Amino acid sequence: MEDNVVKMKEAKADKKNLSGEQKLGEFLGKNRKVLTAALVVVVAAIAAYVVFFNVNSSVVRKNLGKIDAIEYTLTKDAGDLDEDALSSRRQTALSNLEAFLNKGGIIGARANMLAADIYGQKKEWQSSKNCWLKAASKGKGSYLASLCDFNAAAACEELGEADKALELYEKVAADKDFVDRSRAAFNAGRLKEDKEDYEGAKASYEAIASYGLSNDEWNDLAKTRLLDLKNKGLVK
């Protein structure tokens, strides 16, 4: 979560200072690869969303408790540990999560989200992507699905899988209930620019304005990108 907040602040600062092509290029360079938006803290917060699922079963509650315990052991006083100790904790957590990764519903979704985040911390992007996609499939129809798809897209970018990342960002941007859909649309536009699909990028950037979100920094950034594309004669 802290990493995501920092990036949002950076985007805000860049937005204020983007007055020329060089600064625009610098901004896009910094934001070319979006790191996963959900860290362990977010995974814990998402547990509150279990209202979407059937959690009346004592077995479900028990398994959620076990996953919470794995996360607690992973994160307790983590700031005081060196990298070797952190690495050991991550490996232990991944081993303990194995029993839950193939379960259905909120249990499988929760376990795969935590595993995906751990793999992301280890920069094992293929495993991270796989777990995010698995979590999305288990949380299908809920807010969790778009959150996981967004993070899977970020992992795809780290892997150089731009086409898959674009597909996932556009899928997320189409979710009217996802709070960060404008960011997903902006990322889609950015990837289309990389592919020199300038008309496609224009469509993605213009779509953000239609979302009607107040104080939308990504809409402001999209307008800046549109202006730059028009000034270069790449779009009308």
Side-chain angles (χ1 to χ4, degrees):
M1 174 68 79
E2 293 177 355
D3 186 65
N4 193 37
V5 171
V6 168
K7 283 191 171 292
M8 291 297 288
K9 288 181 178 178
E10 289 175 353
K12 189 172 184 178
D14 282 324
K15 179 194 69 175
K16 292 179 178 178
N17 295 319
L18 289 177
S19 58
E21 184 174 340
Q22 183 176 1
K23 292 182 179 180
L24 284 170
E26 181 180 355
F27 170 79
L28 289 177
K30 289 180 180 179
N31 291 273
R32 183 178 181 81
K33 292 185 178 179
V34 183
L35 298 178
T36 51
L39 301 180
V40 175
V41 175
V42 175
V43 176
I46 293 301
Y49 200 80
V50 297
V51 67
F52 175 84
F53 299 91
N54 179 12
V55 293
N56 294 323
S57 167
S58 61
V59 174
V60 172
R61 291 197 300 272
K62 182 178 179 180
N63 284 335
L64 282 174
K66 289 180 179 179
I67 297 172
D68 286 341
I70 293 171
E71 181 186 8
Y72 178 77
T73 301
L74 171 68
T75 59
K76 185 177 184 297
D77 300 323
D80 298 329
L81 303 179
D82 60 24
E83 186 55 37
D84 287 342
L86 286 172
S87 179
S88 178
R89 280 197 184 185
R90 290 169 187 147
Q91 194 55 50
T92 297
L94 287 171
S95 296
N96 291 336
L97 285 170
E98 282 290 335
F100 306 100
L101 296 177
N102 291 323
K103 292 188 178 296
I106 185 60
I107 299 302
R110 179 82 166 82
N112 277 281
M113 288 177 72
L114 182 53
D117 180 73
I118 294 170
Y119 282 124
Q121 293 176 39
K122 291 161 60 70
K123 300 190 184 304
E124 295 180 12
W125 299 113
Q126 185 64 52
S127 295
S128 182
K129 181 191 80 169
N130 292 343
C131 285
W132 283 124
L133 290 175
K134 197 170 181 179
S137 69
K138 293 176 183 296
K140 188 175 181 180
S142 75
Y143 177 89
L144 288 181
S146 288
L147 174 65
C148 294
D149 280 335
F150 184 97
N151 286 300
C156 286
E157 287 203 72
E158 295 291 346
L159 292 166
E161 299 175 359
D163 288 343
K164 182 62 177 177
L166 176 56
E167 175 189 332
L168 288 168
Y169 282 137
E170 291 199 303
K171 180 181 178 182
V172 173
D175 182 357
K176 296 179 180 179
D177 296 322
F178 187 60
V179 67
D180 225 3
R181 66 186 303 221
S182 57
R183 183 179 184 181
F186 183 87
N187 288 341
R190 171 174 54 79
L191 290 177
K192 289 175 183 177
E193 281 196 65
D194 289 344
K195 294 163 64 70
E196 298 184 355
D197 177 11
Y198 301 117
E199 289 298 329
K202 176 184 176 183
S204 291
Y205 292 145
E206 289 181 337
I208 299 175
S210 70
Y211 298 164
L213 300 176
S214 60
N215 300 319
D216 191 340
E217 294 177 282
W218 298 102
N219 186 36
D220 292 341
L221 291 170
K223 290 178 180 178
T224 301
R225 292 305 310 137
L226 281 170
L227 180 61
D228 187 59
L229 290 174
K230 290 176 180 178
N231 287 340
K232 292 177 179 177
L234 297 173
V235 297
K236 294 182 179 180

